[in-house]
Amino acid sequence: MNTLHTADSALRELLQASPTIVVVGLSPQADRPSHEVADYLQQHGLRVIPVNPVVAAAGGQILGERVYASVTDAAAGLAAEGLEVDIVDCFRKSEAIGPIAEEAIAVGARCLWLQQGVVNHEAAALAEKAGLMVVQDACIKLEHRRLLG
């Protein structure tokens, strides 16, 4: 696991203070890892906002939440409720992370989280330079379970 040397205490604090998580690449299929992770987060009291352009185009929902086409759209929807994006959790290929990192910065997210197997050092450096915490190649569900039980 490579969390860019993020200390457990910092991760624990982030997870405790981040009730709203935008999940990019959230699948409507219950057997997909993104769906399993999002369901776990919801079961632990976190608000999960799905980003999936295909499902959004059809006006769909995943796990009872409206699906958005982009992080920017999700942030606008949350702002209408008086909420902000805390974490942008990415279930996308490593090479697709650059524009997502730019959106995460633009909407004022606290953290860019790249799931297991997802690493993009350029996007991570960009996000860190903008003040975001960055976690790469780590499962937010496993880290939540490990740190918060």
Side-chain angles (χ1 to χ4, degrees):
M1 179 176 67
N2 172 10
T3 59
L4 293 185
H5 311 294
T6 305
D8 282 355
S9 60
L11 284 177
R12 185 178 296 109
E13 182 180 317
L14 171 74
L15 292 169
Q16 288 174 328
S18 300
T20 309
I21 302 174
V22 171
V23 180
V24 181
L26 179 50
S27 173
Q29 298 174 341
D31 63 341
R32 300 297 300 263
S34 62
H35 195 281
E36 179 185 328
V37 167
D39 185 50
Y40 168 89
L41 295 172
Q42 274 190 337
Q43 290 178 26
H44 286 81
L46 301 167
R47 177 90 183 267
V48 173
I49 306 299
V51 171
N52 181 318
V54 174
V55 177
Q61 289 192 347
I62 300 175
L63 295 169
E65 290 282 355
R66 177 181 171 190
V67 181
Y68 293 90
S70 68
V71 172
T72 303
D73 291 348
L78 286 167
E81 297 180 40
L83 300 172
E84 297 178 343
V85 175
D86 294 310
I87 298 173
V88 176
D89 183 23
C90 302
F91 282 90
R92 295 294 315 275
K93 293 181 179 180
S94 298
E95 57 270 17
I97 298 301
I100 299 166
E102 291 171 4
E103 280 191 286
I105 293 164
V107 303
R110 296 179 59 203
C111 175
L112 176 67
W113 193 299
L114 309 182
Q115 283 294 138
Q116 280 180 321
V118 184
V119 176
N120 185 316
H121 296 297
E122 289 177 15
L126 183 70
E128 282 188 325
K129 185 176 179 182
L132 278 71
M133 178 184 285
V134 175
V135 179
Q136 295 193 81
D137 193 21
C139 177
I140 195 169
K141 172 186 171 184
L142 297 178
E143 292 302 302
H144 187 278
R145 182 183 291 153
R146 181 176 72 85
L147 296 168
L148 301 177

